[in-house]
């Protein structure tokens, strides 16, 4: 499995692209734990995995800090989700299901993970990219110097959200 190590802040962040079914399953289980059990955004299920139709057209990544898995995200390559209909640029990748486990979550870790993810995507030619987020998270990213711009009006999806795109 290819690992991309990036240091953009205090925390050395690595991204491992999930190549095996076992690694994808790890991400789906982590998503189930956070989105279904902890946040109750999505109903729990017996298999303990959170997935949808976009997982088949996505690249899945495990986020590591010093070799320890601390989160995950997926990059939807065929962005035909409801988000694609909200933004003008149709050739955009969608970052979704971004998770940092609560025990590893801190303002600095979130900042380092987002900056590292952006660096990884630019260096891999995976731009432009958008991400749906709550207003508070968008304000947090802007306060940390991360350039994002709104690409949609607010809408309701497990709370008030908006699509943002990294500024190049």
């Amino acid at each position: 499995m290819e690992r991309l190590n990036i240091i953009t802040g205090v925390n050395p962040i690595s991204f491992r692209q999930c190549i095996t079914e076992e690694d994808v399953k790890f991400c789906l289980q982590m998503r189930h734990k956070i989105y279904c059990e902890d946040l109750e955004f999505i109903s729990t299920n017996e298999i303990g995995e959170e997935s949808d139709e976009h997982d088949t057209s996505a690249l899945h990544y495990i986020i590591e800090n010093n070799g320890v898995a601390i989160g995950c995200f997926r990059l939807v390559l065929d962005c035909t989700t409801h988000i694609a209909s909200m933004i003008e640029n149709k050739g955009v990748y969608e970052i979704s299901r971004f998770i940092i486990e609560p025990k590893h979550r801190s303002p600095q870790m979130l900042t380092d993970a987002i900056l590292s993810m952006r660096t990884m995507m630019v260096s891999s030619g995976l731009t432009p990219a958008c991400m749906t987020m709550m207003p508070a998270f968008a304000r947090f990213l802007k306060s940390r110097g991360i350039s994002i711009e709104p690409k949609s009006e607010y809408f309701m999806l497990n709370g008030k959200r908006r699509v943002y795109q990294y500024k190049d």
Side-chain angles (χ1 to χ4, degrees):
M1 173 172 303
E2 184 177 334
R3 176 178 279 118
L4 181 61
N5 298 309
I6 301 173
I7 299 176
T8 56
V10 175
N11 301 290
I13 302 292
S14 299
F15 298 101
R16 277 195 299 136
Q17 184 178 343
C18 298
I19 304 297
T20 67
E21 286 183 33
E22 181 179 290
D23 286 326
V24 172
K25 185 174 183 154
F26 174 84
C27 291
L28 300 180
Q29 289 171 339
M30 183 181 286
R31 286 169 31 188
H32 188 274
K33 169 76 174 98
I34 302 297
Y35 287 113
C36 302
E37 296 173 25
D38 295 352
L39 298 174
E40 299 180 346
F41 284 165
I42 302 166
S43 298
T44 59
N45 59 59
E46 302 81 37
I47 60 171
E49 297 176 6
E50 190 280 314
S51 65
D52 64 21
E53 66 276 10
H54 305 294
D55 285 311
T56 58
S57 65
L59 299 175
H60 299 266
Y61 292 89
I62 296 172
I63 304 169
E64 296 179 336
N65 175 239
N66 291 316
V68 176
I70 62 165
C72 64
F73 71 96
R74 72 178 178 189
L75 187 61
V76 180
L77 303 176
D78 180 22
C79 194
T80 57
T81 64
H82 66 282
I83 291 169
S85 65
M86 295 182 195
I87 59 177
E88 295 174 17
N89 186 350
K90 302 300 183 202
V92 68
Y93 299 100
E94 180 191 355
I95 301 163
S96 70
R97 302 303 201 260
F98 171 74
I99 296 171
I100 299 289
E101 288 185 319
K103 66 183 177 184
H104 298 287
R105 201 176 297 148
S106 69
Q108 189 63 54
M109 184 62 77
L110 286 169
T111 301
D112 291 349
I114 291 287
L115 287 172
S116 297
M117 185 168 41
R118 173 69 175 148
T119 300
M120 182 270 298
M121 293 177 67
V122 168
S123 68
S124 300
L126 298 171
T127 57
C130 67
M131 188 175 187
T132 300
M133 60 187 82
M134 295 177 136
F137 192 58
R139 285 191 304 274
F140 167 77
L141 294 178
K142 289 178 181 180
S143 76
R144 305 295 279 194
I146 298 173
S147 296
I148 56 173
E149 61 185 349
K151 289 296 188 177
S152 74
E153 298 299 321
Y154 287 109
F155 58 95
M156 296 303 290
L157 176 68
N158 298 312
K160 185 177 174 181
R161 298 182 188 270
R162 194 177 207 177
V163 177
Y164 289 85
Q165 187 171 329
Y166 286 112
K167 288 184 184 178
D168 289 330

